[in-house]
Amino acid sequence: MNLLDNHVHTSFSSDGKDTMESIIKRSVEIGVSHLTFTDHLEYKKGKISIDCKKYCEKIEGYKEKYNNDIELLTGIEVGFQKHAQKELENIIATTPFDFVLCSTHAVDKVSVSRPQYYRGYSKKEAYQKYFESIIEATKLFKNFDSYGHLDYIIRYAIYEDNKLAYSDYKNVIDEVLKNIISSGKGIELNTSGYRYGLDSIHPNVDIVKRYKELGGEIITVGSDSHRAIDVCKDFDKAYDMLSYLGFKYVCLFKNRAPIFLPLDKERESSIA
């Protein structure tokens, strides 16, 4: 087996359900060879959400303990907000992360998971505002490796139909993708959409197709698991999508540098 998972949460995240070691044991059990922890780095109410020193020390301890079973990598999921950029940049610059996943969870200090974000906005306006915030983030913030679940907003929107059609937001989505590509960064294929009942990967196939058309090559695949049982969940669907779109590789990151792994081998592993 040659599975990897680039987006995994543990009890170091406030919404993580399982301990780091239980997730490692589950990963070894299903044959994962590379596991990247990406617990939340958020700035809320003037405080950082995670003790990065303890987090990294814990991973280092398990690297030694499970050295013969699995390769563990130290990542972080940065919930970017411009008012906290200085604090976030300082932590990233002084912590030896292998991988930095950037995500937009909030706009103007309001979480898109909360109904109040949508009050007073049509679906078009709320989604447009969300993507405009990512445009701003990709201009201001360059110290990341891959951008997470680009259409994350559909998970929590409160409209009768939350589906997002690329064609309805072509201009803003294209600008997001161009900013990411021109900065030498990648995007994430996040399989959690299936677990949230969306019957879709984040971002949807049309956005990933456009990313490739614009010259995007770096793709990381992550389960966004918050429970051990969800590591590498639905990766066969992610790999099938990438193969259909003509991608040849998926990436993992070590010391902030991408390593390109042949997609065919990952597909074989996911269905073995």
Side-chain angles (χ1 to χ4, degrees), residues 3-223:
L3 296 171
L4 59 86
D5 195 333
N6 293 296
H7 191 162
V8 177
H9 294 279
T10 75
S11 52
F12 272 91
S13 293
S14 61
D15 54 357
K17 307 303 181 186
D18 291 327
T19 66
M20 191 175 285
E21 186 161 26
S22 67
I23 292 166
I24 294 169
K25 288 179 177 179
R26 167 63 179 171
S27 300
V28 171
E29 180 184 316
I30 64 173
V32 177
S33 60
H34 302 86
L35 186 72
T36 305
F37 292 111
T38 53
D39 277 301
H40 291 295
L41 173 58
E42 307 273 354
Y43 190 76
K44 296 180 178 179
K45 298 179 180 179
K47 295 182 179 180
I48 293 296
S49 63
I50 187 171
D51 185 328
C52 286
K53 184 175 184 292
K54 289 183 179 179
Y55 172 65
C56 292
E57 287 175 350
K58 182 70 76 171
I59 296 174
E60 288 302 312
Y62 286 133
K63 282 183 180 181
E64 183 175 347
K65 182 175 181 178
Y66 290 94
N67 180 57
N68 295 325
D69 302 309
I70 190 170
E71 180 171 14
L72 302 175
L73 298 163
T74 305
I76 202 78
E77 182 182 13
V78 177
F80 181 78
Q81 295 190 71
K82 62 182 179 180
H83 70 278
Q85 183 172 352
K86 181 178 179 181
E87 289 80 1
L88 297 173
E89 294 266 20
N90 287 341
I91 291 172
I92 295 168
T94 56
T95 309
F97 293 122
D98 287 297
F99 176 58
V100 176
L101 179 69
C102 184
S103 298
T104 292
H105 297 134
V107 178
D108 294 335
K109 301 183 183 181
V110 179
S111 172
V112 299
S113 67
R114 296 182 179 180
Q116 69 188 85
Y117 171 78
Y118 305 94
R119 289 177 190 151
Y121 291 110
S122 66
K123 173 183 168 181
K124 178 78 172 183
E125 291 168 338
Y127 284 21
Q128 183 83 12
K129 181 180 179 182
Y130 168 78
F131 283 114
E132 287 174 352
S133 78
I134 300 180
I135 290 171
E136 183 177 34
T138 54
K139 288 179 178 178
L140 291 174
F141 182 60
K142 303 294 184 180
N143 202 358
F144 70 94
D145 303 307
S146 184
Y147 217 100
H149 43 50
L150 279 173
D151 59 1
Y152 171 83
I153 193 170
I154 69 171
R155 187 189 293 180
Y156 298 106
I158 59 173
Y159 305 104
E160 185 175 345
D161 178 8
N162 288 340
K163 289 183 179 178
L164 186 156
Y166 161 74
S167 58
D168 291 340
Y169 306 91
K170 181 182 186 301
N171 291 340
V172 284
I173 292 175
D174 277 5
E175 188 168 351
V176 166
L177 296 176
K178 289 175 182 177
N179 288 350
I180 290 170
I181 294 167
S182 66
S183 298
K185 314 301 182 183
I187 66 169
E188 176 195 45
L189 216 59
N190 182 309
T191 61
S192 68
Y194 289 107
R195 302 197 305 278
Y196 282 90
L198 302 174
D199 195 31
S200 174
I201 286 173
H202 293 299
N204 68 48
V205 63
D206 291 331
I207 295 175
V208 182
K209 178 182 179 183
R210 183 58 175 159
Y211 174 69
K212 188 174 191 302
E213 290 173 346
L214 292 170
E217 296 181 342
I218 297 174
I219 291 275
T220 59
V221 182
S223 63

